[in-house]
Amino acid sequence: GENVEQHPSTLSVQEGDSAVIKCTYSDSASNYFPWYKQELGKGPQLIIDIRSNVGEKKDQRIAVTLNKTAKHFSLHITETQPEDSAVYFCAAMKDTGNQFYFGTGTSLTVIP
Amino acid sequence: KAGVTQTPRYLIKTRGQQVTLSCSPISGHRSVSWYQQTPGQGLQFLFEYFSETQRNKGNFPGRFSGRQFSNSRSEMNVSTLELGDSALYLCASSLAWQGRGYTFGSGTRLTVV
């Protein structure tokens, strides 16, 4: 099956700095890669996603890049704010599948 | 538009008991998936239902089961509870079978004592 690895497990940045979280996947058939943000006491919330036919996608301060050859994708958050503090999960899914394989999560702390 | 509703939010059970968790998907969503979240194992897929049929099942013992009703509401059941079943159980719904645009509920926190 698919194996998704995520790094780092914890990340602290100063407010206004950028944060980068990286994930690798093992199954070259995976072609959909969402990123979820989970705040304390809540379920994961989709913040951005990318499909394998696209190399980069941006939504305001958040961007995701995908390198299919290397089988890795990254989340970039610019101009971080304290409300960005949360746990972030990457995931991978195949077109023929109907389950997500999640990374182990990154706890992001933005220091005011 | 109401989100995914999971009930109850918190539950404490004793080893050996059984438990039923409920999930009401977003109106119009026909696919419902269940995940177990623990600090050690992260988010792990339990099963997915679409139009009352289980389409896929994760690698969990038979003590974990589920079903989906004609109104798309879903329940999952865990029998003969073990301490290791303590976790946050998350339900997600989506329009399409293949899970695009998953929306998660806030989960049910199950504690087994």
Side-chain angles (χ1 to χ4, degrees), chain A residues 31-32 36 38 41-44 51 89 93 95-100 102, chain B residues 9 35 37 43 45 48 55-56 88 90 97-102 104-106:
Chain A
N31 60 2
Y32 176 62
Y36 284 86
Q38 187 173 25
K42 298 184 179 179
R51 300 183 192 280
F89 292 94
M93 178 188 273
D95 244 351
T96 54
N98 53 6
Q99 72 177 83
F100 284 122
F102 283 91
Chain B
R9 287 297 311 274
Y35 286 80
Q37 185 174 26
L43 282 147
F45 174 76
E48 181 191 12
R55 296 287 190 171
N56 197 9
L88 180 67
L90 291 160
W97 169 38
Q98 289 183 338
R100 298 294 189 264
Y102 263 31
F104 281 90
S106 294

PDB file of all heavy atoms in Angstrom, chain A residues 31-32 36 38 41-44 51 89 93 95-100 102, chain B residues 9 35 37 43 45 48 55-56 88 90 97-102 104-106:
ATOM      1  N   ASN A  31      -2.402  10.265  -7.074  1.00  0.00           N
ATOM      2  CA  ASN A  31      -2.476  11.441  -7.931  1.00  0.00           C
ATOM      3  C   ASN A  31      -3.312  12.582  -7.348  1.00  0.00           C
ATOM      4  O   ASN A  31      -3.624  13.540  -8.042  1.00  0.00           O
ATOM      5  CB  ASN A  31      -3.020  11.050  -9.313  1.00  0.00           C
ATOM      6  CG  ASN A  31      -4.398  10.444  -9.222  1.00  0.00           C
ATOM      7  OD1 ASN A  31      -4.977  10.341  -8.157  1.00  0.00           O
ATOM      8  ND2 ASN A  31      -4.923  10.049 -10.365  1.00  0.00           N
ATOM      9  N   TYR A  32      -3.660  12.473  -6.098  1.00  0.00           N
ATOM     10  CA  TYR A  32      -4.400  13.556  -5.445  1.00  0.00           C
ATOM     11  C   TYR A  32      -3.800  13.760  -4.065  1.00  0.00           C
ATOM     12  O   TYR A  32      -3.673  12.805  -3.292  1.00  0.00           O
ATOM     13  CB  TYR A  32      -5.886  13.203  -5.354  1.00  0.00           C
ATOM     14  CG  TYR A  32      -6.711  14.220  -4.602  1.00  0.00           C
ATOM     15  CD1 TYR A  32      -6.824  15.536  -5.048  1.00  0.00           C
ATOM     16  CD2 TYR A  32      -7.388  13.867  -3.437  1.00  0.00           C
ATOM     17  CE1 TYR A  32      -7.577  16.460  -4.356  1.00  0.00           C
ATOM     18  CE2 TYR A  32      -8.135  14.787  -2.748  1.00  0.00           C
ATOM     19  CZ  TYR A  32      -8.231  16.091  -3.207  1.00  0.00           C
ATOM     20  OH  TYR A  32      -8.981  17.012  -2.518  1.00  0.00           O
ATOM     21  N   TYR A  36      -4.440  19.138   5.171  1.00  0.00           N
ATOM     22  CA  TYR A  36      -5.461  19.427   6.160  1.00  0.00           C
ATOM     23  C   TYR A  36      -4.846  20.140   7.362  1.00  0.00           C
ATOM     24  O   TYR A  36      -3.711  19.876   7.742  1.00  0.00           O
ATOM     25  CB  TYR A  36      -6.142  18.138   6.631  1.00  0.00           C
ATOM     26  CG  TYR A  36      -7.122  17.572   5.640  1.00  0.00           C
ATOM     27  CD1 TYR A  36      -6.706  16.719   4.621  1.00  0.00           C
ATOM     28  CD2 TYR A  36      -8.472  17.904   5.704  1.00  0.00           C
ATOM     29  CE1 TYR A  36      -7.601  16.213   3.708  1.00  0.00           C
ATOM     30  CE2 TYR A  36      -9.381  17.403   4.789  1.00  0.00           C
ATOM     31  CZ  TYR A  36      -8.936  16.559   3.793  1.00  0.00           C
ATOM     32  OH  TYR A  36      -9.835  16.062   2.878  1.00  0.00           O
ATOM     33  N   GLN A  38      -5.623  20.891  11.401  1.00  0.00           N
ATOM     34  CA  GLN A  38      -6.458  20.454  12.514  1.00  0.00           C
ATOM     35  C   GLN A  38      -6.158  21.287  13.745  1.00  0.00           C
ATOM     36  O   GLN A  38      -5.034  21.280  14.255  1.00  0.00           O
ATOM     37  CB  GLN A  38      -6.231  18.958  12.823  1.00  0.00           C
ATOM     38  CG  GLN A  38      -7.206  18.409  13.858  1.00  0.00           C
ATOM     39  CD  GLN A  38      -7.082  16.905  14.031  1.00  0.00           C
ATOM     40  OE1 GLN A  38      -6.039  16.325  13.763  1.00  0.00           O
ATOM     41  NE2 GLN A  38      -8.147  16.265  14.481  1.00  0.00           N
ATOM     42  N   GLY A  41      -9.390  20.144  19.286  1.00  0.00           N
ATOM     43  CA  GLY A  41     -10.805  19.854  19.511  1.00  0.00           C
ATOM     44  C   GLY A  41     -11.652  19.843  18.257  1.00  0.00           C
ATOM     45  O   GLY A  41     -12.878  19.718  18.325  1.00  0.00           O
ATOM     46  N   LYS A  42     -11.003  19.952  17.103  1.00  0.00           N
ATOM     47  CA  LYS A  42     -11.759  19.974  15.844  1.00  0.00           C
ATOM     48  C   LYS A  42     -11.264  18.887  14.902  1.00  0.00           C
ATOM     49  O   LYS A  42     -10.185  18.329  15.078  1.00  0.00           O
ATOM     50  CB  LYS A  42     -11.630  21.334  15.164  1.00  0.00           C
ATOM     51  CG  LYS A  42     -12.192  22.489  15.973  1.00  0.00           C
ATOM     52  CD  LYS A  42     -12.110  23.792  15.194  1.00  0.00           C
ATOM     53  CE  LYS A  42     -12.682  24.949  15.990  1.00  0.00           C
ATOM     54  NZ  LYS A  42     -12.581  26.233  15.242  1.00  0.00           N
ATOM     55  N   GLY A  43     -12.073  18.619  13.888  1.00  0.00           N
ATOM     56  CA  GLY A  43     -11.641  17.687  12.872  1.00  0.00           C
ATOM     57  C   GLY A  43     -10.732  18.366  11.864  1.00  0.00           C
ATOM     58  O   GLY A  43     -10.674  19.593  11.808  1.00  0.00           O
ATOM     59  N   PRO A  44     -10.014  17.605  11.064  1.00  0.00           N
ATOM     60  CA  PRO A  44      -9.153  18.193  10.033  1.00  0.00           C
ATOM     61  C   PRO A  44      -9.974  18.991   9.022  1.00  0.00           C
ATOM     62  O   PRO A  44     -11.074  18.585   8.647  1.00  0.00           O
ATOM     63  CB  PRO A  44      -8.513  16.962   9.373  1.00  0.00           C
ATOM     64  CG  PRO A  44      -8.637  15.865  10.380  1.00  0.00           C
ATOM     65  CD  PRO A  44      -9.921  16.135  11.098  1.00  0.00           C
ATOM     66  N   ARG A  51      -3.508  18.135  -7.719  1.00  0.00           N
ATOM     67  CA  ARG A  51      -3.585  16.889  -8.461  1.00  0.00           C
ATOM     68  C   ARG A  51      -2.287  16.707  -9.235  1.00  0.00           C
ATOM     69  O   ARG A  51      -1.569  17.671  -9.494  1.00  0.00           O
ATOM     70  CB  ARG A  51      -4.794  16.910  -9.398  1.00  0.00           C
ATOM     71  CG  ARG A  51      -6.078  17.075  -8.624  1.00  0.00           C
ATOM     72  CD  ARG A  51      -7.323  17.040  -9.495  1.00  0.00           C
ATOM     73  NE  ARG A  51      -8.477  17.476  -8.737  1.00  0.00           N
ATOM     74  CZ  ARG A  51      -9.148  16.707  -7.877  1.00  0.00           C
ATOM     75  NH1 ARG A  51      -8.762  15.467  -7.692  1.00  0.00           N
ATOM     76  NH2 ARG A  51     -10.180  17.172  -7.226  1.00  0.00           N
ATOM     77  N   PHE A  89      -1.653  18.083   8.290  1.00  0.00           N
ATOM     78  CA  PHE A  89      -1.497  16.733   7.754  1.00  0.00           C
ATOM     79  C   PHE A  89      -1.481  16.777   6.234  1.00  0.00           C
ATOM     80  O   PHE A  89      -2.311  17.446   5.614  1.00  0.00           O
ATOM     81  CB  PHE A  89      -2.663  15.838   8.184  1.00  0.00           C
ATOM     82  CG  PHE A  89      -2.710  15.526   9.641  1.00  0.00           C
ATOM     83  CD1 PHE A  89      -3.464  16.298  10.503  1.00  0.00           C
ATOM     84  CD2 PHE A  89      -2.001  14.444  10.157  1.00  0.00           C
ATOM     85  CE1 PHE A  89      -3.517  16.010  11.861  1.00  0.00           C
ATOM     86  CE2 PHE A  89      -2.046  14.153  11.514  1.00  0.00           C
ATOM     87  CZ  PHE A  89      -2.800  14.941  12.358  1.00  0.00           C
ATOM     88  N   MET A  93      -3.924  10.048  -2.285  1.00  0.00           N
ATOM     89  CA  MET A  93      -4.998   9.152  -2.711  1.00  0.00           C
ATOM     90  C   MET A  93      -4.801   8.820  -4.184  1.00  0.00           C
ATOM     91  O   MET A  93      -4.313   9.652  -4.949  1.00  0.00           O
ATOM     92  CB  MET A  93      -6.366   9.820  -2.526  1.00  0.00           C
ATOM     93  CG  MET A  93      -7.539   8.968  -3.003  1.00  0.00           C
ATOM     94  SD  MET A  93      -9.112   9.852  -3.002  1.00  0.00           S
ATOM     95  CE  MET A  93      -9.644   9.550  -1.328  1.00  0.00           C
ATOM     96  N   ASP A  95      -6.575   7.658  -7.883  1.00  0.00           N
ATOM     97  CA  ASP A  95      -7.833   7.804  -8.592  1.00  0.00           C
ATOM     98  C   ASP A  95      -8.711   6.580  -8.424  1.00  0.00           C
ATOM     99  O   ASP A  95      -9.926   6.672  -8.362  1.00  0.00           O
ATOM    100  CB  ASP A  95      -7.565   8.013 -10.085  1.00  0.00           C
ATOM    101  CG  ASP A  95      -8.043   9.374 -10.522  1.00  0.00           C
ATOM    102  OD1 ASP A  95      -8.717  10.056  -9.727  1.00  0.00           O
ATOM    103  OD2 ASP A  95      -7.751   9.754 -11.659  1.00  0.00           O
ATOM    104  N   THR A  96      -8.089   5.432  -8.379  1.00  0.00           N
ATOM    105  CA  THR A  96      -8.849   4.191  -8.273  1.00  0.00           C
ATOM    106  C   THR A  96      -9.175   3.853  -6.825  1.00  0.00           C
ATOM    107  O   THR A  96      -9.812   2.848  -6.555  1.00  0.00           O
ATOM    108  CB  THR A  96      -8.042   3.021  -8.873  1.00  0.00           C
ATOM    109  OG1 THR A  96      -6.756   2.990  -8.233  1.00  0.00           O
ATOM    110  CG2 THR A  96      -7.862   3.210 -10.366  1.00  0.00           C
ATOM    111  N   GLY A  97      -8.730   4.668  -5.915  1.00  0.00           N
ATOM    112  CA  GLY A  97      -8.933   4.376  -4.501  1.00  0.00           C
ATOM    113  C   GLY A  97      -9.973   5.273  -3.887  1.00  0.00           C
ATOM    114  O   GLY A  97     -10.432   6.230  -4.498  1.00  0.00           O
ATOM    115  N   ASN A  98     -10.350   4.987  -2.703  1.00  0.00           N
ATOM    116  CA  ASN A  98     -11.287   5.831  -1.978  1.00  0.00           C
ATOM    117  C   ASN A  98     -10.900   5.944  -0.525  1.00  0.00           C
ATOM    118  O   ASN A  98     -11.753   6.018   0.337  1.00  0.00           O
ATOM    119  CB  ASN A  98     -12.713   5.312  -2.134  1.00  0.00           C
ATOM    120  CG  ASN A  98     -12.822   3.853  -1.755  1.00  0.00           C
ATOM    121  OD1 ASN A  98     -11.880   3.269  -1.280  1.00  0.00           O
ATOM    122  ND2 ASN A  98     -13.974   3.276  -1.983  1.00  0.00           N
ATOM    123  N   GLN A  99      -9.610   5.908  -0.259  1.00  0.00           N
ATOM    124  CA  GLN A  99      -9.148   6.168   1.081  1.00  0.00           C
ATOM    125  C   GLN A  99      -7.906   7.036   1.008  1.00  0.00           C
ATOM    126  O   GLN A  99      -7.126   6.959   0.063  1.00  0.00           O
ATOM    127  CB  GLN A  99      -8.842   4.875   1.838  1.00  0.00           C
ATOM    128  CG  GLN A  99      -7.597   4.139   1.378  1.00  0.00           C
ATOM    129  CD  GLN A  99      -7.306   2.918   2.210  1.00  0.00           C
ATOM    130  OE1 GLN A  99      -7.858   1.848   1.997  1.00  0.00           O
ATOM    131  NE2 GLN A  99      -6.421   3.070   3.169  1.00  0.00           N
ATOM    132  N   PHE A 100      -7.771   7.891   2.024  1.00  0.00           N
ATOM    133  CA  PHE A 100      -6.587   8.712   2.139  1.00  0.00           C
ATOM    134  C   PHE A 100      -5.537   7.989   2.972  1.00  0.00           C
ATOM    135  O   PHE A 100      -5.856   7.310   3.940  1.00  0.00           O
ATOM    136  CB  PHE A 100      -6.907  10.039   2.827  1.00  0.00           C
ATOM    137  CG  PHE A 100      -7.608  11.027   1.940  1.00  0.00           C
ATOM    138  CD1 PHE A 100      -8.843  11.524   2.294  1.00  0.00           C
ATOM    139  CD2 PHE A 100      -7.027  11.466   0.769  1.00  0.00           C
ATOM    140  CE1 PHE A 100      -9.496  12.452   1.484  1.00  0.00           C
ATOM    141  CE2 PHE A 100      -7.667  12.379  -0.043  1.00  0.00           C
ATOM    142  CZ  PHE A 100      -8.899  12.874   0.318  1.00  0.00           C
ATOM    143  N   PHE A 102      -2.575   9.208   5.243  1.00  0.00           N
ATOM    144  CA  PHE A 102      -2.148  10.452   5.865  1.00  0.00           C
ATOM    145  C   PHE A 102      -0.709  10.391   6.348  1.00  0.00           C
ATOM    146  O   PHE A 102      -0.216   9.338   6.759  1.00  0.00           O
ATOM    147  CB  PHE A 102      -3.032  10.779   7.070  1.00  0.00           C
ATOM    148  CG  PHE A 102      -4.376  11.346   6.704  1.00  0.00           C
ATOM    149  CD1 PHE A 102      -5.466  10.511   6.519  1.00  0.00           C
ATOM    150  CD2 PHE A 102      -4.550  12.714   6.554  1.00  0.00           C
ATOM    151  CE1 PHE A 102      -6.710  11.033   6.178  1.00  0.00           C
ATOM    152  CE2 PHE A 102      -5.784  13.240   6.221  1.00  0.00           C
ATOM    153  CZ  PHE A 102      -6.864  12.407   6.031  1.00  0.00           C
TER     154      PHE A 102
ATOM    155  N   ARG B   9     -19.994  13.533  21.285  1.00  0.00           N
ATOM    156  CA  ARG B   9     -18.655  14.125  21.177  1.00  0.00           C
ATOM    157  C   ARG B   9     -17.665  13.402  22.068  1.00  0.00           C
ATOM    158  O   ARG B   9     -16.494  13.259  21.713  1.00  0.00           O
ATOM    159  CB  ARG B   9     -18.695  15.593  21.579  1.00  0.00           C
ATOM    160  CG  ARG B   9     -19.342  16.522  20.573  1.00  0.00           C
ATOM    161  CD  ARG B   9     -18.585  16.577  19.230  1.00  0.00           C
ATOM    162  NE  ARG B   9     -17.145  16.803  19.383  1.00  0.00           N
ATOM    163  CZ  ARG B   9     -16.578  17.995  19.496  1.00  0.00           C
ATOM    164  NH1 ARG B   9     -17.331  19.082  19.500  1.00  0.00           N
ATOM    165  NH2 ARG B   9     -15.266  18.106  19.590  1.00  0.00           N
ATOM    166  N   TYR B  35     -12.353   7.330  10.129  1.00  0.00           N
ATOM    167  CA  TYR B  35     -10.934   7.242  10.440  1.00  0.00           C
ATOM    168  C   TYR B  35     -10.757   7.197  11.953  1.00  0.00           C
ATOM    169  O   TYR B  35     -11.523   7.794  12.707  1.00  0.00           O
ATOM    170  CB  TYR B  35     -10.174   8.458   9.894  1.00  0.00           C
ATOM    171  CG  TYR B  35      -9.996   8.434   8.393  1.00  0.00           C
ATOM    172  CD1 TYR B  35     -11.026   8.828   7.543  1.00  0.00           C
ATOM    173  CD2 TYR B  35      -8.799   8.014   7.825  1.00  0.00           C
ATOM    174  CE1 TYR B  35     -10.864   8.802   6.174  1.00  0.00           C
ATOM    175  CE2 TYR B  35      -8.628   7.990   6.449  1.00  0.00           C
ATOM    176  CZ  TYR B  35      -9.658   8.381   5.638  1.00  0.00           C
ATOM    177  OH  TYR B  35      -9.492   8.349   4.277  1.00  0.00           O
ATOM    178  N   GLN B  37      -8.053   8.231  14.869  1.00  0.00           N
ATOM    179  CA  GLN B  37      -6.877   9.075  15.079  1.00  0.00           C
ATOM    180  C   GLN B  37      -6.323   8.852  16.472  1.00  0.00           C
ATOM    181  O   GLN B  37      -7.030   9.041  17.480  1.00  0.00           O
ATOM    182  CB  GLN B  37      -7.216  10.556  14.886  1.00  0.00           C
ATOM    183  CG  GLN B  37      -5.997  11.459  14.970  1.00  0.00           C
ATOM    184  CD  GLN B  37      -6.294  12.916  14.649  1.00  0.00           C
ATOM    185  OE1 GLN B  37      -7.419  13.390  14.820  1.00  0.00           O
ATOM    186  NE2 GLN B  37      -5.297  13.638  14.178  1.00  0.00           N
ATOM    187  N   LEU B  43      -3.712   9.147  11.662  1.00  0.00           N
ATOM    188  CA  LEU B  43      -5.035   8.950  11.065  1.00  0.00           C
ATOM    189  C   LEU B  43      -5.028   7.671  10.243  1.00  0.00           C
ATOM    190  O   LEU B  43      -4.300   7.548   9.266  1.00  0.00           O
ATOM    191  CB  LEU B  43      -5.379  10.134  10.159  1.00  0.00           C
ATOM    192  CG  LEU B  43      -5.838  11.394  10.853  1.00  0.00           C
ATOM    193  CD1 LEU B  43      -5.396  12.632  10.086  1.00  0.00           C
ATOM    194  CD2 LEU B  43      -7.363  11.384  10.989  1.00  0.00           C
ATOM    195  N   PHE B  45      -7.429   4.767   8.177  1.00  0.00           N
ATOM    196  CA  PHE B  45      -8.700   4.532   7.510  1.00  0.00           C
ATOM    197  C   PHE B  45      -9.379   3.284   8.069  1.00  0.00           C
ATOM    198  O   PHE B  45      -8.756   2.221   8.178  1.00  0.00           O
ATOM    199  CB  PHE B  45      -8.433   4.376   6.013  1.00  0.00           C
ATOM    200  CG  PHE B  45      -9.616   3.980   5.188  1.00  0.00           C
ATOM    201  CD1 PHE B  45     -10.598   4.903   4.876  1.00  0.00           C
ATOM    202  CD2 PHE B  45      -9.746   2.688   4.716  1.00  0.00           C
ATOM    203  CE1 PHE B  45     -11.688   4.545   4.095  1.00  0.00           C
ATOM    204  CE2 PHE B  45     -10.819   2.314   3.940  1.00  0.00           C
ATOM    205  CZ  PHE B  45     -11.795   3.248   3.622  1.00  0.00           C
ATOM    206  N   GLU B  48     -15.242   2.930   4.230  1.00  0.00           N
ATOM    207  CA  GLU B  48     -16.018   3.927   3.510  1.00  0.00           C
ATOM    208  C   GLU B  48     -17.314   3.308   3.018  1.00  0.00           C
ATOM    209  O   GLU B  48     -17.336   2.155   2.563  1.00  0.00           O
ATOM    210  CB  GLU B  48     -15.288   4.513   2.313  1.00  0.00           C
ATOM    211  CG  GLU B  48     -16.149   5.578   1.609  1.00  0.00           C
ATOM    212  CD  GLU B  48     -15.643   6.033   0.271  1.00  0.00           C
ATOM    213  OE1 GLU B  48     -14.737   5.406  -0.283  1.00  0.00           O
ATOM    214  OE2 GLU B  48     -16.176   7.038  -0.230  1.00  0.00           O
ATOM    215  N   ARG B  55     -17.576   0.183   0.488  1.00  0.00           N
ATOM    216  CA  ARG B  55     -16.753   0.090  -0.720  1.00  0.00           C
ATOM    217  C   ARG B  55     -15.322  -0.292  -0.418  1.00  0.00           C
ATOM    218  O   ARG B  55     -14.629  -0.838  -1.247  1.00  0.00           O
ATOM    219  CB  ARG B  55     -16.761   1.443  -1.437  1.00  0.00           C
ATOM    220  CG  ARG B  55     -18.121   1.857  -1.939  1.00  0.00           C
ATOM    221  CD  ARG B  55     -18.543   1.051  -3.134  1.00  0.00           C
ATOM    222  NE  ARG B  55     -19.734   1.569  -3.768  1.00  0.00           N
ATOM    223  CZ  ARG B  55     -20.219   1.154  -4.920  1.00  0.00           C
ATOM    224  NH1 ARG B  55     -19.593   0.198  -5.581  1.00  0.00           N
ATOM    225  NH2 ARG B  55     -21.306   1.679  -5.413  1.00  0.00           N
ATOM    226  N   ASN B  56     -14.883   0.036   0.762  1.00  0.00           N
ATOM    227  CA  ASN B  56     -13.490  -0.227   1.095  1.00  0.00           C
ATOM    228  C   ASN B  56     -13.360  -0.355   2.596  1.00  0.00           C
ATOM    229  O   ASN B  56     -14.121   0.271   3.352  1.00  0.00           O
ATOM    230  CB  ASN B  56     -12.601   0.918   0.571  1.00  0.00           C
ATOM    231  CG  ASN B  56     -11.135   0.531   0.509  1.00  0.00           C
ATOM    232  OD1 ASN B  56     -10.774  -0.624   0.698  1.00  0.00           O
ATOM    233  ND2 ASN B  56     -10.286   1.503   0.246  1.00  0.00           N
ATOM    234  N   LEU B  88      -9.691   9.232  18.871  1.00  0.00           N
ATOM    235  CA  LEU B  88     -10.663  10.147  18.284  1.00  0.00           C
ATOM    236  C   LEU B  88     -11.146   9.493  16.994  1.00  0.00           C
ATOM    237  O   LEU B  88     -10.338   9.157  16.123  1.00  0.00           O
ATOM    238  CB  LEU B  88     -10.023  11.497  17.984  1.00  0.00           C
ATOM    239  CG  LEU B  88     -10.927  12.555  17.356  1.00  0.00           C
ATOM    240  CD1 LEU B  88     -12.010  13.000  18.338  1.00  0.00           C
ATOM    241  CD2 LEU B  88     -10.115  13.762  16.892  1.00  0.00           C
ATOM    242  N   LEU B  90     -13.103   9.878  13.631  1.00  0.00           N
ATOM    243  CA  LEU B  90     -13.513  10.946  12.722  1.00  0.00           C
ATOM    244  C   LEU B  90     -14.323  10.387  11.561  1.00  0.00           C
ATOM    245  O   LEU B  90     -13.989   9.342  11.004  1.00  0.00           O
ATOM    246  CB  LEU B  90     -12.285  11.667  12.169  1.00  0.00           C
ATOM    247  CG  LEU B  90     -11.495  12.503  13.166  1.00  0.00           C
ATOM    248  CD1 LEU B  90     -10.084  12.764  12.653  1.00  0.00           C
ATOM    249  CD2 LEU B  90     -12.201  13.828  13.415  1.00  0.00           C
ATOM    250  N   TRP B  97     -17.945   9.213  -4.745  1.00  0.00           N
ATOM    251  CA  TRP B  97     -17.464   7.987  -4.130  1.00  0.00           C
ATOM    252  C   TRP B  97     -15.980   8.088  -3.787  1.00  0.00           C
ATOM    253  O   TRP B  97     -15.548   7.673  -2.748  1.00  0.00           O
ATOM    254  CB  TRP B  97     -17.715   6.825  -5.081  1.00  0.00           C
ATOM    255  CG  TRP B  97     -17.038   5.560  -4.701  1.00  0.00           C
ATOM    256  CD1 TRP B  97     -16.859   5.076  -3.437  1.00  0.00           C
ATOM    257  CD2 TRP B  97     -16.457   4.621  -5.574  1.00  0.00           C
ATOM    258  NE1 TRP B  97     -16.208   3.866  -3.489  1.00  0.00           N
ATOM    259  CE2 TRP B  97     -15.946   3.566  -4.775  1.00  0.00           C
ATOM    260  CE3 TRP B  97     -16.321   4.540  -6.957  1.00  0.00           C
ATOM    261  CZ2 TRP B  97     -15.307   2.459  -5.333  1.00  0.00           C
ATOM    262  CZ3 TRP B  97     -15.682   3.429  -7.491  1.00  0.00           C
ATOM    263  CH2 TRP B  97     -15.177   2.419  -6.692  1.00  0.00           C
ATOM    264  N   GLN B  98     -15.197   8.710  -4.676  1.00  0.00           N
ATOM    265  CA  GLN B  98     -13.760   8.664  -4.507  1.00  0.00           C
ATOM    266  C   GLN B  98     -13.211   9.739  -3.579  1.00  0.00           C
ATOM    267  O   GLN B  98     -12.033  10.037  -3.608  1.00  0.00           O
ATOM    268  CB  GLN B  98     -13.084   8.714  -5.867  1.00  0.00           C
ATOM    269  CG  GLN B  98     -13.288   7.401  -6.618  1.00  0.00           C
ATOM    270  CD  GLN B  98     -12.574   7.375  -7.941  1.00  0.00           C
ATOM    271  OE1 GLN B  98     -12.260   8.405  -8.509  1.00  0.00           O
ATOM    272  NE2 GLN B  98     -12.311   6.192  -8.453  1.00  0.00           N
ATOM    273  N   GLY B  99     -14.099  10.287  -2.757  1.00  0.00           N
ATOM    274  CA  GLY B  99     -13.614  11.068  -1.622  1.00  0.00           C
ATOM    275  C   GLY B  99     -13.102  12.450  -1.910  1.00  0.00           C
ATOM    276  O   GLY B  99     -12.514  13.079  -1.051  1.00  0.00           O
ATOM    277  N   ARG B 100     -13.330  12.957  -3.107  1.00  0.00           N
ATOM    278  CA  ARG B 100     -12.870  14.307  -3.373  1.00  0.00           C
ATOM    279  C   ARG B 100     -13.624  15.294  -2.498  1.00  0.00           C
ATOM    280  O   ARG B 100     -14.818  15.169  -2.308  1.00  0.00           O
ATOM    281  CB  ARG B 100     -13.100  14.663  -4.850  1.00  0.00           C
ATOM    282  CG  ARG B 100     -12.343  13.782  -5.810  1.00  0.00           C
ATOM    283  CD  ARG B 100     -10.835  13.970  -5.672  1.00  0.00           C
ATOM    284  NE  ARG B 100     -10.115  13.282  -6.746  1.00  0.00           N
ATOM    285  CZ  ARG B 100      -9.599  12.060  -6.617  1.00  0.00           C
ATOM    286  NH1 ARG B 100      -9.706  11.414  -5.505  1.00  0.00           N
ATOM    287  NH2 ARG B 100      -8.951  11.515  -7.636  1.00  0.00           N
ATOM    288  N   GLY B 101     -12.902  16.245  -1.951  1.00  0.00           N
ATOM    289  CA  GLY B 101     -13.565  17.255  -1.151  1.00  0.00           C
ATOM    290  C   GLY B 101     -14.107  16.728   0.156  1.00  0.00           C
ATOM    291  O   GLY B 101     -15.181  17.116   0.613  1.00  0.00           O
ATOM    292  N   TYR B 102     -13.353  15.830   0.746  1.00  0.00           N
ATOM    293  CA  TYR B 102     -13.712  15.357   2.078  1.00  0.00           C
ATOM    294  C   TYR B 102     -13.984  16.513   3.022  1.00  0.00           C
ATOM    295  O   TYR B 102     -13.234  17.475   3.059  1.00  0.00           O
ATOM    296  CB  TYR B 102     -12.498  14.639   2.688  1.00  0.00           C
ATOM    297  CG  TYR B 102     -12.428  13.144   2.598  1.00  0.00           C
ATOM    298  CD1 TYR B 102     -12.971  12.433   1.557  1.00  0.00           C
ATOM    299  CD2 TYR B 102     -11.730  12.446   3.575  1.00  0.00           C
ATOM    300  CE1 TYR B 102     -12.846  11.061   1.488  1.00  0.00           C
ATOM    301  CE2 TYR B 102     -11.600  11.074   3.525  1.00  0.00           C
ATOM    302  CZ  TYR B 102     -12.158  10.386   2.476  1.00  0.00           C
ATOM    303  OH  TYR B 102     -12.009   9.041   2.420  1.00  0.00           O
ATOM    304  N   PHE B 104     -14.527  16.787   7.144  1.00  0.00           N
ATOM    305  CA  PHE B 104     -14.517  16.021   8.386  1.00  0.00           C
ATOM    306  C   PHE B 104     -15.453  16.621   9.425  1.00  0.00           C
ATOM    307  O   PHE B 104     -15.654  17.845   9.480  1.00  0.00           O
ATOM    308  CB  PHE B 104     -13.112  15.993   8.979  1.00  0.00           C
ATOM    309  CG  PHE B 104     -12.186  14.999   8.329  1.00  0.00           C
ATOM    310  CD1 PHE B 104     -11.414  15.379   7.247  1.00  0.00           C
ATOM    311  CD2 PHE B 104     -12.093  13.704   8.802  1.00  0.00           C
ATOM    312  CE1 PHE B 104     -10.549  14.471   6.647  1.00  0.00           C
ATOM    313  CE2 PHE B 104     -11.233  12.788   8.204  1.00  0.00           C
ATOM    314  CZ  PHE B 104     -10.465  13.167   7.132  1.00  0.00           C
ATOM    315  N   GLY B 105     -15.985  15.748  10.271  1.00  0.00           N
ATOM    316  CA  GLY B 105     -16.673  16.197  11.468  1.00  0.00           C
ATOM    317  C   GLY B 105     -15.649  16.457  12.562  1.00  0.00           C
ATOM    318  O   GLY B 105     -14.442  16.303  12.363  1.00  0.00           O
ATOM    319  N   SER B 106     -16.138  16.856  13.732  1.00  0.00           N
ATOM    320  CA  SER B 106     -15.234  17.159  14.846  1.00  0.00           C
ATOM    321  C   SER B 106     -14.824  15.916  15.617  1.00  0.00           C
ATOM    322  O   SER B 106     -13.956  15.992  16.478  1.00  0.00           O
ATOM    323  CB  SER B 106     -15.890  18.157  15.795  1.00  0.00           C
ATOM    324  OG  SER B 106     -16.054  19.401  15.142  1.00  0.00           O
TER     325      SER B 106
END
